[in-house]
């Protein structure tokens, strides 16, 4: 007997953006400088090499003074002023959940203030109320590459333990104010992202610490302690609140079957998992402690830290874009310890297309943590070209079909996947490349990489496909080999 596979009635069909990539209005309403405000568009770089890695203090100050370069995230898509019309369009797809972030640098412009910026609170009051009014459940990220830049310059970012208190203060303001509108909270976006977006994530100028590699791991420890403290506060404030952990899915397959290559790949993947091990299990795993000891990476972990970490997260969430491969030589010779899989097609930025990998990691994550799962980012960037006002993005539909089918199959594997947020329901500035032309959206925004254009919103073919898919709960998704 064939069982018809559909998504559950209460499944959270969603879409996700980030404040720094959409809001714009970078100097309005008392907002301070954020780490994203110095992300410069560099058209002379190869597409595959664009990211926001290490940066020194002098370069930070030079970029702050730069009036000639293009900084697309300062403008975004003007969501700050156009959120009402954008949310109306997004909600019309049938989306039931909308993930965005509350900009830390908008609420606390310097980061170390005692009181929040009242203008920012009023704006987020309006935004979150509008999300709810349009029938969508807000999913809020608290740190999504929007750290106040002053914390990087004065405190050396998350390498300084004082940021724990600054961030927890920011989080408490948000949770107290929106506890009755927002159930799902993610303290830190992609907490394991310390290779590709290391400065945007951790805010550590490379010249401000003795060893940037060690400083990153100490910084992530501080983020984990802060996340656990937020969970403890949320539990006391309102037991209905759900605090999650979010990983960037950086999963590698072994490139072959030689046992040492399999082991090297396993160990490489473990160090992408360990932050979730800490936040979902409440302690550092032995393999991570050995990794630090073998490489002479001293971590300062206090007794109070260990007590805080006992307050574990409620759900596991992650972004999924692509997979890679690895082996002994790749681990030894590359900074990311992985390389592209030659068997997979990729987009122009070199991101492999692997829908089966999503089902694979959903099974791995459930086996490992036994916590409800949420895919909080999944999508593909492409160059979209309108023809007479129409965008036929069949490539995006094919990508989303395959990945949603993997989510559906994982649910029928018995895995409690509670939601899926595509990245993104509307075109926004790319995180890694600071481009508008690297488009993920179901809705086209007529702006180019230099901020030029009419700003007109146009629904792509994928918009209507997603609308149909939500309405029939995935009934028409193509089958997948090995289902």
């Amino acid at each position: 007997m064939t069982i018809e596979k559909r998504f559950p009635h209460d499944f959270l069909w969603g879409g996700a953006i980030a404040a720094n990539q959409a809001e714009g209005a970078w100097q309005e309403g008392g907002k301070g400088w954020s780490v994203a405000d110095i992300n410069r568009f560099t058209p002379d770089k190869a597409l595959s090499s664009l990211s926001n890695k290490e940066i020194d203090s002098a370069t930070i100050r030079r970029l702050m003074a730069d009036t000639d370069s293009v900084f697309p995230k300062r403008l975004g898509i003007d969501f700050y002023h156009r959120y009402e019309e954008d949310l109306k369009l997004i909600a019309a797809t049938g989306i039931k959940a909308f993930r965005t972030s509350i900009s830390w640098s908008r609420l606390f412009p310097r980061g170390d203030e005692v009181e929040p910026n009242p203008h920012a609170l009023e704006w987020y009051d309006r935004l979150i109320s509008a999300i709810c009014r349009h029938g969508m459940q807000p999913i809020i990220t608290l740190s999504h590459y929007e750290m106040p830049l002053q914390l990087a310059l004065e405190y050396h970012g998350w390498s300084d333990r004082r940021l724990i208190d600054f961030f927890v203060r920011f989080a408490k303001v948000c949770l107290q104010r929106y506890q009755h509108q927002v159930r799902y909270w993610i303290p830190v976006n992609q907490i394991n992202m310390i290779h590709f977006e290391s400065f945007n994530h951790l805010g550590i100028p490379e010249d401000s610490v003795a060893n940037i590699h060690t400083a990153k791991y100490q910084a992530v420890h501080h983020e984990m302690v802060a996340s656990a403290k937020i969970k403890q506060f949320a539990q006391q404030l309102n037991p209905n609140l759900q605090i999650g952990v979010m990983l960037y899915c950086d999963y590698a397959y072994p490139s072959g079957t030689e046992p040492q290559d399999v082991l090297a790949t396993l160990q490489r993947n473990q160090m992408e998992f360990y932050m979730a091990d800490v936040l979902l299990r409440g302690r550092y795993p032995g393999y991570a402690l050995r990794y630090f000891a073998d490489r002479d990476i001293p971590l300062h972990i206090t007794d109070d830290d260990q007590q805080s970490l006992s307050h574990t997260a409620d759900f596991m969430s992650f972004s999924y874009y692509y997979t890679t491969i690895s082996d002994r030589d790749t681990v030894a010779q590359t900074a990311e310890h992985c390389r592209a899989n030659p068997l997979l097609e990729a987009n122009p930025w070199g991101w492999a297309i692997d829908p089966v990998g999503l089902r694979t990691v959903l099974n791995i994550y459930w086996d490992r943590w036994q916590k409800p799962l949420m895919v909080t980012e999944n999508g593909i960037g492409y160059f979209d070209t309108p023809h007479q006002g129409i965008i036929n993005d069949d490539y995006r539909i094919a990508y989303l079909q395959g990945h949603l089918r993997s989510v559906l199959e994982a649910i029928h594997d018995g895995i409690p996947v509670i939601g899926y947020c595509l990245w993104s329901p509307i075109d926004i500035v790319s995180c890694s490349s600071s481009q508008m032309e690297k488009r993920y959206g179901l809705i086209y925004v007529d702006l180019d990489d230099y901020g030029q254009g009419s700003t007109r919103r146009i629904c792509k073919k994928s918009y209507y496909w997603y609308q149909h898919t939500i309405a029939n709960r995935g009934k028409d998704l193509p089958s997948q080999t090995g289902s």
Side-chain angles (χ1 to χ4, degrees):
M1 183 175 117
T2 302
I3 299 174
E4 183 182 58
K5 294 177 181 176
R6 293 208 202 186
F7 285 87
H9 286 283
D10 60 351
F11 186 75
L12 287 175
W13 295 91
I17 66 169
N20 74 89
Q21 295 168 252
E23 285 180 4
W26 74 293
Q27 291 182 315
E28 291 189 44
K31 179 186 172 298
W33 283 87
S34 87
V35 291
D37 294 330
I38 60 169
N39 290 166
R40 186 165 56 101
F41 172 55
T42 51
D44 53 324
K45 279 192 175 183
L47 294 179
S48 60
S49 67
L50 295 172
S51 70
N52 306 292
K53 297 185 180 180
E54 274 69 66
I55 188 171
D56 61 34
S57 303
T59 302
I60 293 171
R61 296 187 185 281
R62 186 165 61 250
L63 290 169
M64 292 175 73
D66 185 347
T67 57
D68 297 321
S69 298
V70 178
F71 299 89
K73 291 175 185 174
R74 297 181 183 181
L75 304 176
I77 60 168
D78 198 25
F79 186 72
Y80 187 85
H81 297 109
R82 302 183 64 163
Y83 67 89
E84 280 283 5
E85 65 175 292
D86 288 342
L87 290 175
K88 183 178 179 181
L89 269 177
I90 291 166
T93 63
I95 280 177
K96 296 177 173 62
F98 183 74
R99 176 180 171 233
T100 188
S101 53
I102 293 177
S103 172
W104 190 359
S105 63
R106 200 176 285 284
L107 234 62
F108 288 87
R110 288 178 47 89
D112 58 1
E113 298 96 336
V114 175
E115 297 296 331
N117 170 13
H119 301 294
L121 287 174
E122 291 167 6
W123 187 81
Y124 282 111
D125 287 350
R126 295 193 295 272
L127 174 65
I128 290 174
S129 293
I131 295 169
C132 296
R133 189 171 65 253
H134 284 288
M136 297 181 290
Q137 186 170 162
I139 299 171
I140 297 297
T141 309
L142 293 170
S143 177
H144 198 140
Y145 309 147
E146 291 136 3
M147 175 194 293
L149 192 56
Q150 207 62 32
L151 295 181
L153 290 170
E154 290 191 19
Y155 296 89
H156 311 158
W158 274 104
S159 67
D160 192 310
R161 179 171 286 271
R162 286 174 289 182
L163 260 73
I164 296 174
D165 290 338
F166 297 155
F167 187 62
V168 171
R169 179 187 300 154
F170 160 59
K172 285 181 175 180
V173 168
C174 297
L175 267 66
Q176 285 175 320
R177 196 170 186 95
Y178 304 117
Q179 60 175 301
H180 300 300
Q181 294 168 290
V182 181
R183 185 184 185 201
Y184 293 102
W185 297 84
I186 298 169
V188 180
N189 177 73
Q190 299 175 325
I191 195 167
N192 59 327
M193 182 73 88
I194 63 174
H195 300 303
F196 302 107
E197 295 290 331
S198 55
F199 177 74
N200 273 359
H201 173 193
L202 298 170
I204 309 172
E206 61 180 335
D207 60 323
S208 68
V209 291
N211 184 312
I212 187 66
H213 188 62
T214 297
K216 287 180 184 181
Y217 285 110
Q218 186 65 54
V220 170
H221 172 75
H222 293 155
E223 282 187 317
M224 292 192 291
V225 172
S227 297
K229 285 177 175 287
I230 291 167
K231 165 59 186 174
Q232 181 181 15
F233 174 76
Q235 195 169 24
Q236 296 166 349
L237 175 68
N238 184 341
N240 186 53
L241 299 179
Q242 297 287 292
I243 307 299
V245 56
M246 182 180 171
L247 293 184
Y248 163 70
C249 181
D250 191 7
Y251 183 74
Y253 302 111
S255 64
T257 57
E258 207 285 321
Q260 288 298 325
D261 289 333
V262 174
L263 176 61
T265 305
L266 168 68
Q267 292 173 328
R268 180 255 178 219
N269 287 337
Q270 282 179 320
M271 289 307 293
E272 297 297 331
F273 294 158
Y274 91 84
M275 296 86 162
D277 278 347
V278 174
L279 289 170
L280 293 168
R281 293 173 171 170
R283 63 188 183 279
Y284 273 82
Y287 67 79
L289 296 175
R290 177 174 178 173
Y291 178 94
F292 299 136
D294 288 350
R295 289 158 181 80
D296 194 24
I297 298 173
L299 288 188
H300 180 56
I301 303 174
T302 69
D303 291 341
D304 286 344
D305 291 347
Q306 291 176 334
Q307 177 59 34
S308 293
L309 291 172
S310 67
H311 299 280
T312 54
D314 299 298
F315 67 96
M316 164 66 193
S317 69
F318 65 101
S319 60
Y320 180 89
Y321 293 101
Y322 59 85
T323 55
T324 55
I325 58 175
S326 192
D327 48 51
R328 281 175 296 174
D329 291 340
T330 302
V331 167
Q333 297 170 10
T334 65
E336 290 78 24
H337 303 161
C338 63
R339 54 191 171 89
N341 188 337
L343 301 178
L344 297 177
E345 178 189 352
N347 77 348
W349 288 263
W351 294 25
I353 300 171
D354 181 16
V356 175
L358 179 52
R359 183 178 176 185
T360 300
V361 298
L362 282 166
N363 273 271
I364 290 170
Y365 290 168
W366 172 244
D367 287 350
R368 191 178 189 94
W369 294 303
Q370 297 285 296
K371 294 279 189 177
L373 293 167
M374 186 184 298
V375 183
T376 36
E377 291 181 26
N378 175 238
I380 190 160
Y382 263 106
F383 294 107
D384 291 334
T385 305
H387 295 284
Q388 298 180 336
I390 298 172
I391 299 103
N392 289 316
D393 55 340
D394 292 317
Y395 40 83
R396 181 168 293 107
I397 292 172
Y399 178 95
L400 295 174
Q401 280 179 330
H403 288 76
L404 276 169
R405 185 70 199 193
S406 283
V407 175
L408 183 56
E409 294 296 343
I411 290 171
H412 284 271
D413 291 336
I415 299 169
V417 186
I418 59 177
Y420 168 92
C421 294
L422 70 81
W423 189 274
S424 157
I426 188 168
D427 288 346
I428 55 178
V429 179
S430 166
C431 174
S432 58
S433 64
S434 292
Q435 291 177 278
M436 271 301 300
E437 296 293 358
K438 185 183 182 184
R439 299 180 184 273
Y440 286 83
L442 307 177
I443 302 165
Y444 183 89
V445 177
D446 184 26
L447 286 170
D448 64 16
D449 291 337
Y450 299 90
Q452 303 299 309
S454 69
T455 74
R456 181 186 172 198
R457 273 63 166 157
I458 305 170
C459 296
K460 305 176 190 178
K461 186 177 180 180
S462 59
Y463 176 96
Y464 302 103
W465 170 85
Y466 198 48
Q467 188 179 57
H468 173 77
T469 300
I470 292 172
N472 67 24
R473 295 172 28 229
K475 177 184 175 183
D476 299 331
L477 292 172
S479 61
Q480 191 177 83
T481 303
S483 297

